[in-house]
Amino acid sequence: MQVAEHVVLGLTRSAAVEYVKDNIRVNVIAPTVVLTPLVQNFIDTAPDPKAMAERMQNFNPIPGMPTSGDVANAVLFLASDDAKWITGHTLPINGGYVAL
């Protein structure tokens, strides 16, 4: 794990403890490469778009790439009452990459 990731995790946990008394939950969403128009343009303009798409889609154990809607669903979950006991955590949206 890189230093920047440790900093984000530390800030998340610190803020979660600090603001819990105000009924504020603090969590982090950590997605892998998300299929956005910018990423699609990167694939389309690669020297071999098919090979680039395949490489990116096989980066994580679950093939493919999450969409912005997939990330939004995770945010909605964490903002919902279903997650009222979740604070100070990171929710990876990476198709199992952290399990490797």
Side-chain angles (χ1 to χ4, degrees):
M1 188 176 293
Q2 296 179 1
V3 173
E5 291 176 87
H6 282 288
V7 171
V8 170
L9 295 176
L11 285 171
T12 301
R13 292 174 182 160
S14 178
V17 170
E18 177 72 23
Y19 294 107
V20 72
K21 65 184 177 294
D22 298 317
N23 200 29
I24 297 172
R25 293 177 285 125
V26 180
N27 294 292
V28 171
I29 300 290
T32 186
V33 175
V34 177
L35 186 56
T36 63
L38 182 66
V39 171
Q40 187 63 57
N41 184 59
F42 176 78
I43 292 168
D44 293 342
T45 58
D48 184 349
K50 185 177 178 182
M52 180 59 73
E54 186 173 309
R55 180 175 176 226
M56 292 181 80
Q57 290 173 358
N58 291 321
F59 184 72
N60 304 301
I62 296 176
M65 286 184 276
T67 65
S68 56
D70 295 320
V71 176
N73 287 336
V75 172
L76 288 172
F77 166 70
L78 286 176
S80 75
D81 286 340
D82 291 335
K84 67 183 176 184
W85 284 93
I86 300 173
T87 192
H89 290 280
T90 299
L91 180 57
I93 304 171
N94 59 27
Y97 179 77
V98 295
L100 295 177

